Amino acid sequence: MGEFTSTIEHRLDQAYRNLQEARSSGDDYLADTFTAEIEDLQRLATDNGVPLQR
């Protein structure tokens, strides 16, 4: 696994954790922000041929 792939996976894991925390605390704006970050990271992974587990 390359460094790029590791970085994408790490950032996605963190974004999913942050999204869960935002949802748990009822912060809709922050949840939307993390949802957008996840979508951007998934798009970046797809565009660069990085297979995702989620």
Side-chain angles (χ1 to χ4, degrees), residues 1 7 15 20 24 26-27 34 37-39 42 44 50 52:
M1 175 182 327
T7 300
Q20 184 61 35
S24 293
D27 190 333
F34 287 120
E37 180 180 0
I38 289 166
E39 291 169 353
Q42 289 172 333
L44 182 63
V50 175
L52 298 175

Side-chain angles (χ1 to χ4, degrees), residues 1 5 8-9 12 45-46 48-54:
M1 175 182 327
T5 300
I8 293 292
E9 289 178 351
L12 274 168
T46 299
N48 288 281
V50 175
L52 298 175
Q53 301 297 332
R54 294 180 190 234

Side-chain angles (χ1 to χ4, degrees), residues 15 18-19 21-23 25-36:
N18 291 339
L19 175 59
E21 289 176 22
R23 286 179 175 165
S25 68
D27 190 333
D28 293 335
Y29 175 77
L30 195 55
D32 287 345
T33 300
F34 287 120
T35 298

